[in-house]
Amino acid sequence: MEGQAGDAHGVAPFGGEGVNAAMLDAAELARVLGACVASADSTAWIRAVTAYETRMFERVVEPAAHSAEAAAVQLSHDCVAHALKHLRLHEADAMLDV
């Protein structure tokens, strides 16, 4: 069995998502494996890692979508137009944060 953490799940690390995912993944994996230490069940760690990976992949759906959008903008042949469209789309949200 192999586990994944941080950037290993394939999300382009736009906006710091890679490092944020890595820290959360490490903390979550340590928590589930720590719970297995006192277990007499020798297969508890397999179930714990499987549950961790299920939650990790569910958690990464939204950041992956945002990273895909950012990658499309940054890597497009028409990146300036895409960037302006993206900024205008989110301009109203930014004004609410002020």
Side-chain angles (χ1 to χ4, degrees):
M1 166 173 264
E2 106 183 29
Q4 298 184 10
D7 289 341
H9 47 61
V11 176
F14 286 96
E17 292 298 336
V19 74
N20 293 337
M23 290 188 300
L24 184 56
D25 290 347
E28 176 69 9
L29 186 57
R31 186 186 66 76
V32 299
L33 291 178
C36 295
V37 172
S39 176
D41 182 358
S42 63
T43 62
W45 70 273
I46 295 172
R47 288 190 305 281
V49 170
T50 300
Y52 150 76
E53 286 188 335
T54 298
R55 287 190 298 275
M56 179 196 62
F57 284 115
E58 290 169 352
R59 178 173 68 235
V60 79
V61 169
E62 187 176 344
H66 289 274
S67 288
E69 179 184 0
V73 168
Q74 296 295 321
L75 303 175
S76 168
H77 69 281
D78 195 17
C79 65
V80 173
H82 284 292
L84 288 172
K85 180 181 175 184
H86 177 78
L87 290 172
R88 288 183 182 120
L89 181 66
H90 297 288
E91 183 176 30
D93 294 337
M95 297 306 274
L96 293 175
D97 291 339
V98 175

